[in-house]
């Protein structure tokens, strides 16, 4: 009874967190941004594995003409990966505006304008080893993945400020009824827009005058970089996975709960890996979004591809086998809700243990296999529904070591689940004996009567 109350309280807290306006906005925005990131990642994959004359198919004389296509994929990569923050700011602005019930598409544009007003538009470039200032440009540091946290903050702040100002009747410009609705709406938004952009730009400049640091420098060095170091380290990613699995076990979608923390950090990491790979530089990050999918979510949360294998190998339960058969198709594409809700895994003390433990073990295997160079680092953001082994090959741009590591992780996951599936067999036998004994006692009591 006490355990049920504890789970109920935890559920209540989790749902309240998940229903926070800004959490919803960020999750929705990154869900919409994902196709853009995947587009840029596959452009990089084709650029290096097909159109490159050094390592790709274009190195062969008969296919040398493919090299002429490389500028196309490079342009796509720049338009997607190098402008990731701009896209995120626009989408978060739209999502916050929807929740505030104001003009959402305009709010997305306003968020982008407000963000650009806070970042430097001058950089220094080296010309014959001499720094030369260049003005009226935007550095990819601000438009790419490194600007994500500042972008999210400014998007939320600008739309909230605009929403409040637009509700002030004194700031609205009233137009005659003969003026078209679109024109009237534009004038009504004029003063709130001017004030919103001006306040945010002035605030950013004031911070720079006081501290000598841009708002980007402050956010990146105090929040984004330290958080990235934690999440992109093995202990941090294992802790994040552990929290996700605990939520799953008590009946809450774990990935949705951790998404606002996981997505900005791990998507930024794969974006940096993709950029380094495209530029022919050393790939920096072992842990990123594809790493999570490749080694810690094969078959779905809990690496339940191993559970399916264990069920077909040793389960004597007809219900498990039927659920297993129904779950194979979705499981190949890393969708395991039929398995989680069908067995069920939630609130199941036997199956909860391997469900929590397995991704921690396979994630550790994947990390060390990559760290020693056996498996390649992920450089391409592939869809999370890409089947195991294929995902490892594509995400690492052709690393057979990554494929082998995934195969090892699948075998290990099955071995972890095996004893617990056997324990479920014994639990069923005990339950059956108890039911039979109860029926006998009932029949005996009926006969005596």
């Amino acid at each position: 009874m006490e355990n049920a109350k504890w789970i109920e309280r935890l559920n209540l807290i989790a749902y309240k967190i998940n229903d926070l306006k800004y959490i919803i906005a960020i999750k929705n925005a990154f869900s919409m941004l994902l196709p853009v990131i995947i587009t840029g990642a596959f452009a990089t994959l084709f650029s290096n594995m097909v159109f490159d004359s050094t390592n790709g198919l274009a190195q062969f004389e008969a296919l040398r003409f493919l090299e002429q296509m490389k500028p196309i994929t490079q342009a796509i990569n720049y338009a997607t990966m190098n402008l990731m923050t701009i896209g995120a700011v626009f989408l978060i602005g739209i999502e916050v505006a929807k929740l505030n019930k104001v003009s959402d598409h305009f709010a997305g544009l306003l968020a982008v304008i407000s963000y650009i007003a806070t970042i430097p538009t001058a950089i220094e470039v080296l010309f014959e080893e001499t720094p030369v200032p260049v003005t009226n440009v935007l550095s990819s540091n601000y438009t790419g993945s490194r600007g994500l946290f500042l972008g999210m903050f400014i998007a939320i702040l600008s739309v909230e400020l605009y929403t409040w100002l637009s509700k002030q009747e004194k700031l609205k410009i009233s137009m005659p009824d003969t003026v078209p609705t679109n024109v009237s709406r534009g004038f009504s938004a004029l003063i709130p827009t001017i004030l919103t952009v001006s306040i945010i730009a002035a605030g950013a400049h004031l911070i720079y005058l006081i501290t000598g640091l841009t708002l980007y420098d402050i956010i990146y060095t105090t929040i984004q970089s330290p958080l990235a170091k934690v999440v992109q380290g093995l202990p941090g990613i294992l802790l994040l996975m552990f929290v996700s699995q605990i939520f799953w076990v008590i009946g809450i979608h774990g990935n949705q709960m951790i998404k606002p923390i996981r997505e900005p950090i791990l998507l930024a990491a794969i974006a940096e890996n993709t950029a380094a790979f495209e530029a022919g530089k050393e790939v920096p990050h072992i842990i990123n979004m594809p790493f999570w999918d490749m080694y810690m979510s094969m078959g779905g949360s809990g690496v339940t591809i191993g559970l399916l294998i264990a069920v077909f190998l040793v389960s004597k339960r007809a219900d498990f086998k039927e659920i297993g058969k129904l779950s194979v198709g979705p499981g190949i594409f890393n969708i395991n809700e039929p398995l989680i809700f069908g067995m069920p895994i939630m609130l199941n003390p036997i199956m909860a243990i391997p469900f929590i433990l397995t991704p921690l073990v396979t994630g550790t295997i994947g990390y060390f296999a990559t760290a020693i160079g056996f498996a390649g680092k992920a450089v391409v953001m592939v869809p999370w529904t890409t089947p195991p082994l294929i995902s490892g090959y594509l995400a690492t741009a052709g690393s057979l070591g990554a494929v082998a590591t995934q195969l090892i992780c699948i075998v290990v996951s099955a071995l972890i689940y095996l004893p617990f599936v056997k324990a479920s067999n014994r639990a069923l036998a005990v339950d059956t004996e108890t039911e039979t004994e109860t029926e006998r006692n009932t029949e005996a009591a009926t006969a005596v009567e």
Side-chain angles (χ1 to χ4, degrees):
M1 189 69 178
E2 192 63 35
N3 286 339
K5 288 182 179 178
W6 178 82
I7 291 172
E8 188 177 341
R9 289 194 202 104
L10 196 56
N11 268 320
L12 185 61
I13 293 171
Y15 282 122
K16 284 185 176 179
I17 293 172
N18 213 26
D19 284 340
L20 288 174
K21 179 167 65 175
Y22 306 134
I23 298 294
I24 294 171
I26 291 170
K27 286 194 300 185
N28 290 347
F30 275 100
S31 294
M32 289 188 290
L33 189 64
L34 202 55
V36 175
I37 296 172
I38 293 173
T39 298
F42 272 91
T44 298
L45 185 67
F46 274 86
S47 180
N48 287 273
M49 295 187 69
V50 179
F51 304 141
D52 189 76
S53 59
T54 303
N55 301 307
L57 293 178
Q59 65 183 298
F60 301 107
E61 191 64 35
L63 300 174
R64 189 59 56 87
F65 69 93
L66 291 172
E67 188 177 12
Q68 298 175 26
M69 308 291 287
K70 189 165 185 175
I72 298 174
T73 52
Q74 288 176 325
I76 294 171
N77 176 269
Y78 183 87
T80 52
M81 307 302 281
N82 281 21
L83 297 175
M84 181 192 295
T85 291
I86 301 298
V89 170
F90 181 77
L91 293 172
I92 292 171
I94 288 176
E95 291 300 317
V96 175
K98 283 180 182 177
L99 297 169
N100 286 354
K101 294 181 172 55
V102 298
S103 178
D104 52 353
H105 291 90
F106 174 72
L109 177 61
L110 177 67
V112 171
I113 293 169
S114 299
Y115 175 67
I116 293 174
T118 67
I119 59 178
T121 55
I123 61 173
E124 285 189 347
V125 297
L126 289 177
F127 179 72
E128 295 181 351
E129 300 184 358
T130 303
V132 177
V134 179
T135 59
N136 298 323
V137 295
L138 292 177
S139 169
S140 60
N141 278 347
Y142 311 126
T143 61
S145 59
R146 292 170 67 93
L148 275 174
F149 271 67
L150 175 61
M152 290 190 294
F153 172 72
I154 294 297
I156 292 169
L157 177 63
S158 61
V159 176
E160 287 292 357
L161 181 57
Y162 172 79
T163 301
W164 182 79
L165 290 170
S166 63
K167 292 178 181 178
Q168 309 307 307
E169 292 296 329
K170 294 180 180 179
L171 299 179
K172 292 182 180 179
I173 299 176
S174 299
M175 303 295 289
D177 294 338
T178 55
V179 175
T181 303
N182 289 341
V183 176
S184 179
R185 190 184 300 123
F187 273 94
S188 179
L190 179 59
I191 295 178
T193 300
I194 292 172
L195 289 176
T196 298
V197 177
S198 298
I199 290 170
I200 290 177
H205 186 62
L206 183 62
I207 289 171
Y208 176 74
L209 292 177
I210 294 172
T211 65
L213 297 171
T214 65
L215 198 54
Y216 164 82
D217 292 330
I218 294 171
I219 296 294
Y220 185 79
T221 56
T222 60
I223 299 176
Q224 184 168 346
S225 183
L227 186 59
K229 287 179 182 177
V230 172
V231 176
Q232 290 169 9
L234 182 60
I237 199 68
L238 293 182
L239 177 61
L240 203 60
M241 176 57 79
F242 177 78
V243 171
S244 175
Q245 298 305 94
I246 290 292
F247 277 120
W248 270 115
V249 166
I250 64 172
I252 300 169
H253 197 300
N255 287 343
Q256 292 298 321
M257 290 302 303
I258 63 166
K259 201 172 186 178
I261 298 174
R262 184 189 69 178
E263 304 289 87
I265 298 298
L266 297 189
L267 288 177
I270 188 59
E272 291 173 17
N273 279 14
T274 301
F277 181 66
E278 175 71 20
K281 299 178 181 178
E282 183 180 354
V283 177
H285 304 296
I286 293 177
I287 293 174
N288 45 55
M289 199 65 239
F291 178 93
W292 179 285
D293 297 331
M294 286 162 51
Y295 299 123
M296 305 175 81
S297 292
M298 288 181 291
S301 296
V303 195
T304 49
I305 191 171
L307 174 57
L308 283 174
I309 294 171
V311 164
F312 291 127
L313 285 178
V314 301
S315 181
K316 296 178 181 178
R317 297 183 56 158
D319 56 340
F320 274 25
K321 288 184 177 180
E322 284 302 315
I323 293 166
K325 290 175 184 176
L326 293 172
S327 302
V328 169
I332 291 173
F333 299 97
N334 305 317
I335 299 168
N336 65 347
E337 275 77 3
L339 205 58
I340 289 176
F341 296 107
M343 281 194 167
I345 291 174
M346 295 183 307
L347 303 178
N348 183 335
I350 295 177
M351 301 311 302
I353 295 172
F355 183 76
I356 294 171
L357 178 64
T358 303
L360 306 183
V361 174
T362 57
T364 302
I365 292 171
Y367 180 86
F368 284 108
T370 309
I372 64 175
F374 177 73
K377 295 177 182 177
V379 294
V380 176
M381 181 65 208
V382 296
W384 63 270
T385 51
T386 306
L389 306 185
I390 297 174
S391 63
Y393 185 81
L394 292 177
T396 57
S399 169
L400 295 178
V403 176
T405 303
Q406 280 192 298
L407 190 57
I408 292 168
C409 288
I410 291 171
V411 172
V412 169
S413 69
L415 292 174
I416 293 173
Y417 276 108
L418 274 172
F420 294 93
V421 173
K422 288 182 178 179
S424 294
N425 293 337
R426 290 194 294 272
L428 178 64
V430 171
D431 290 343
T432 302
E433 288 176 5
T434 302
E435 288 177 5
T436 303
E437 186 64 29
T438 302
E439 289 173 359
R440 286 173 183 169
N441 292 337
T442 303
E443 289 173 0
T446 303
V448 169
E449 291 175 1

